[in-house]
């Protein structure tokens, strides 16, 4: 199909099954709220459904409903409660009153997070010439899964669950991933026909396959591009395996876009990253929330960037934490710097080792290079803050602001007791405690007296 032709597919509604308890996670959190790449499993599924323009998804919930509602409050969704988990067919039955009159329904699992929109699209395309589309894979070891039973002509005749399967059927390696697509109209006709006369006394959704086949309808199978797309999470080992799969996939995507990752196996994306050109990311960098990096940015090893923007040409040296901050272009940050929320650093700013900056703005070309705390502060352009400078912003009850105007030089080991303003071009002598405003251009000092004591003996340790 040429890219100028828009595929005509019927409106799609996603039914996401998430009522199971997830016992093997051994967790107080519902299984589908555990995260991959910093995002709850079920959100991956919802986002994939929305990526193929599925309308308001229907979530079938049972265990941990309250926590689910809290965690997903921002999503326009429909909620179908399944009080008792009587099987996947029973789960979909709970959505009957919510299903649209027309269009297609895709059944997804809330604990199968890596499914791609491309695979869903291929299922939609297959649905143009089939009444029921299954997503299936061949596994070396199909133990536990429902098997795809085919007739002599190779057509799909039904699905038999592992526990109900004969020895011959257990030898079948093509398995049901559980993900399937059918028209809402057909689904509404099939669901009431499901019975629970099987070894697990469950209403199997998979029984709709035999119903379709018996009606002479066409059942098609589509395979995912990568088998990991249909892997479910049942325990924390599988969670970690899929986390790795996800991280490799995202690392590959970024490298394809032109980002250098020094080691894609030591990079973690827990959110989204917008990148300019020729960015270099060293090992053990963690990206959280939404991060934007300009052209030629270099991120050193062992750095965490969370919800921040970093301008072109800036170098973040090793071991920094930058959280909800904006850094301009050609800045140098770190090593060992902590840039906290609501900080804005302009172009050419230098923040050095063991410097913490919180809720402050630092204008172009200013430097805070060593061992300092800058909080609730406005620093102008061309300011040099000496080693060990502390803004005393907290009086024990309230926070106060410090204003440091352009071209101020602050000597080492200085305390600036807020609220306080240092006028433009002023100089603060080393070791000064500034507790009153300083006028522009002045030198301010409050040195202690220095004396030398003759004949002084160091104490000696008693025997
Ligand atoms: C199901 C399929 C099986 C398939 C396998 C793939 C049926 C009868 N069997 O197996 O063919 O190979 O998935 O993993 O459909 N759920 C509910 N309510 C329920 C039961 C399940 O919401 O009453 C949800 C679970 O939370 C889970 C999903 O449905 O997300 C699948 O349930 P699970 O018990 O893992 O699958 P099986 O029924 O064993
Ligand atoms: Ca089950």
């Amino acid at each position: 199909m040429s890219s100028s032709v828009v595929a005509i597919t019927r409106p799609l509604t996603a039914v996401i099954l998430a009522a199971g308890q997830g016992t093997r996670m051994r967790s107080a959190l519902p299984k589908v709220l555990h995260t991959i790449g910093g995002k709850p499993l079920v959100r991956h599924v919802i986002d994939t459904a929305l990526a193929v323009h599925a309308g308001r998804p229907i979530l079938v919930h049972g265990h941990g409903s309250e926590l689910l509602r809290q965690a997903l409050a921002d999503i326009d969704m429909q909620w179908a409660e399944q009080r008792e988990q009587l099987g996947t067919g029973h789960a979909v039955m709970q959505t009957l009153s919510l299903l649209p009159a027309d269009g297609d329904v895709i059944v997804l699992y809330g604990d199968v997070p890596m499914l791609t929109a491309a695979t869903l699209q291929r299922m939609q395309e297959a649905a143009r010439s089939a009444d029921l589309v299954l997503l299936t894979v061949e596994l070396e070891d199909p133990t536990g899964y429902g098997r795809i039973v085919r007739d002599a002509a190779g057509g799909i005749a039904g699905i038999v669950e592992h526990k109900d399967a004969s020895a011959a059927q257990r030898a079948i390696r093509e398995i049901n991933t559980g993900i399937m697509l059918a028209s809402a109209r057909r689904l509404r006709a099939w669901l009431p026909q499901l019975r629970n006369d099987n070894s697990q006394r469950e209403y199997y959704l998979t029984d709709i396959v035999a119903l379709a086949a018996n009606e002479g309808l066409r059942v098609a199978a589509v395979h995912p591009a990568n088998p990991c797309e249909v892997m479910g999470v049942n325990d924390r080992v599988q969670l970690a395996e899929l986390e790795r799969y996800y991280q490799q996939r995202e690392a590959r995507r970024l490298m394809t876009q032109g980002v250098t990752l020094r080691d894609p196996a030591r990079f973690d994306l827990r959110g989204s990253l917008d990148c300019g050109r020729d960015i270099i990311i060293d090992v053990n960098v963690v990206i959280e929330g939404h991060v934007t990096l300009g052209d030629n940015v270099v991120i050193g090893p062992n750095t965490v960037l969370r919800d921040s923007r970093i301008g072109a040409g800036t170098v973040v040296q090793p071991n920094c934490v930058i959280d909800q901050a904006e850094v301009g272009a050609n800045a140098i940050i770190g090593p060992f710097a902590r840039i906290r929320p609501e900080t804005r650093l302009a172009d050419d700013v230098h923040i050095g080792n063991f410097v913490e900056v919180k809720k402050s703005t630092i204008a172009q070309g200013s430097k805070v290079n060593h061992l300092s705390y800058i909080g609730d502060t406005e620093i102008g352009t061309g300011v040099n803050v000496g080693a060990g400078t502390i803004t005393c912003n907290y009086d024990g009850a309230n926070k106060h602001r410090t204003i440091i105007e352009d071209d101020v030089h602050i000597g080492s080991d200085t305390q600036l007791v807020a609220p306080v303003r240092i006028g433009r071009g002023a100089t603060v002598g080393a070791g000064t405690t500034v507790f009153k405003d300083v006028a522009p251009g002045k030198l301010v000092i409050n040195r202690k007296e220095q004396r030398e004591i003759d004949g002084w003996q160091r104490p000696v340790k008693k025997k």
Side-chain angles (χ1 to χ4, degrees):
M1 186 192 317
S2 101
S3 57
S4 61
V5 178
V6 177
I8 312 291
T9 44
R10 292 186 290 266
L12 184 67
T13 302
V15 168
I16 302 172
L17 305 190
Q21 187 162 17
T23 320
R24 280 180 280 163
M25 295 298 283
R26 299 181 180 278
S27 175
L29 198 64
K31 174 165 73 174
V32 297
L33 291 183
H34 284 263
T35 60
I36 282 182
K39 183 160 87 173
L41 304 180
V42 68
R43 266 186 193 265
H44 284 273
V45 180
I46 292 166
D47 287 350
T48 304
L50 296 179
V52 296
H53 309 293
R56 292 172 71 208
I58 304 172
L59 189 79
V60 180
H61 62 105
H63 287 279
S65 297
E66 225 14 76
L67 290 169
L68 276 171
R69 280 186 190 275
Q70 280 166 24
L72 305 174
D74 60 310
I75 304 175
D76 185 19
M77 258 190 334
Q78 307 182 74
W79 295 77
E81 188 178 10
Q82 186 191 24
R83 284 201 186 78
E84 273 184 292
Q85 280 72 61
L86 303 179
T88 50
H90 181 258
V92 179
M93 281 179 209
Q94 311 311 306
T95 72
L96 269 172
S97 65
L98 299 172
L99 290 182
D102 264 312
D104 287 337
V105 174
I106 182 135
V107 176
L108 304 171
Y109 286 2
D111 56 1
V112 179
M114 291 294 101
L115 190 69
T116 61
T119 297
L120 287 195
Q121 269 159 3
R122 287 198 291 113
M123 292 181 74
Q124 285 181 286
E125 278 156 29
R128 284 189 233 150
S129 53
D131 300 288
L132 176 59
V133 180
L134 308 178
L135 189 62
T136 74
V137 278
E138 291 216 358
L139 294 183
E140 284 298 323
D141 178 12
T143 307
Y145 292 96
R147 307 299 206 284
I148 307 297
V149 180
R150 290 179 181 266
D151 59 26
I156 295 175
I159 295 177
V160 57
E161 289 304 299
H162 181 93
K163 286 180 180 148
D164 304 301
S166 66
Q169 287 167 330
R170 286 187 180 182
I172 298 171
R173 287 179 35 220
E174 185 183 10
I175 65 100
N176 171 38
T177 66
I179 292 157
M180 51 180 82
L181 189 154
S183 69
R185 205 163 48 84
R186 299 255 188 242
L187 208 52
R188 247 197 308 276
W190 291 326
L191 287 173
Q193 300 179 53
L194 298 181
R195 307 163 59 92
N196 66 347
D197 49 358
N198 50 55
S199 65
Q200 302 186 77
R201 299 251 139 251
E202 281 184 12
Y203 295 90
Y204 292 164
L205 180 63
T206 44
D207 285 349
I208 68 173
V209 180
L211 292 175
N214 290 340
E215 289 172 43
L217 298 173
R218 289 155 305 174
V219 183
V222 164
H223 311 299
N226 187 313
C228 288
E229 280 187 49
V230 296
M231 274 174 59
V233 173
N234 291 306
D235 57 32
R236 293 183 202 239
V237 174
Q238 290 169 336
L239 185 69
E241 283 167 2
L242 279 192
E243 176 77 34
R244 261 310 100 207
Y245 168 73
Y246 174 79
Q247 293 301 343
Q248 277 163 16
R249 194 181 83 185
E250 292 303 299
R252 187 168 286 273
R253 185 178 59 77
L254 288 168
M255 291 187 288
T256 311
Q257 286 172 10
V259 176
T260 293
L261 295 178
R262 289 293 183 215
D263 182 357
R266 286 180 289 169
F267 168 75
D268 285 273
L269 182 61
R270 300 180 193 151
S272 56
L273 180 60
D274 276 349
C275 277
R277 287 173 71 98
D278 292 310
I279 285 160
I280 297 175
I281 298 179
D282 215 319
V283 301
N284 298 332
V285 169
V286 179
I287 305 287
E288 297 181 356
H290 185 67
V291 171
T292 303
L293 304 180
D295 294 348
N296 300 303
V297 162
V298 176
I299 307 293
N302 309 320
T303 284
V304 179
L305 305 177
R306 182 183 303 122
D307 291 315
S308 294
R309 301 175 71 88
I310 297 187
T314 287
V315 176
V316 177
Q317 304 202 78
N319 301 296
C320 293
V321 177
I322 301 182
D323 183 7
Q324 297 171 58
E326 264 183 58
V327 181
N330 301 312
I332 301 175
I333 310 292
F336 299 101
R338 179 171 182 211
I339 313 295
R340 292 174 53 197
E342 294 183 58
T343 293
R344 276 183 291 130
L345 309 179
D347 298 350
D348 307 308
V349 163
H350 291 189
I351 301 294
N353 39 244
F354 307 109
V355 172
E356 174 179 349
V357 185
K358 186 218 81 172
K359 203 174 181 177
S360 295
T361 60
I362 302 184
Q364 191 184 0
S366 289
K367 295 174 182 165
V368 188
N369 271 330
H370 326 269
L371 300 157
S372 291
Y373 172 65
I374 304 296
D376 303 301
T377 298
E378 253 171 69
I379 296 183
T381 61
V383 169
N384 190 40
V385 175
T389 296
I390 305 294
T391 55
C392 312
N393 60 330
Y394 186 50
D395 60 14
N398 296 297
K399 300 276 169 68
H400 300 282
R401 294 194 67 78
T402 298
I403 315 276
I404 302 171
E405 295 183 354
D406 296 347
D407 298 317
V408 164
H409 283 203
I410 296 179
S412 302
D413 190 25
T414 292
Q415 299 86 49
L416 304 171
V417 183
V420 71
R421 171 185 292 265
I422 319 289
R424 187 189 181 95
T427 303
V428 179
T432 301
T433 302
V434 181
F435 46 85
K436 286 189 292 195
D437 288 358
V438 177
K442 297 291 173 65
L443 168 69
V444 59
I445 48 172
N446 53 15
R447 292 243 166 87
K448 296 136 221 143
E449 154 196 31
Q450 178 170 322
R451 288 188 298 153
E452 288 181 14
I453 313 290
D454 290 332
W456 184 74
Q457 301 277 318
R458 282 187 194 163
V460 287
K461 201 171 178 97
K462 284 183 187 146
K463 294 260 162 64

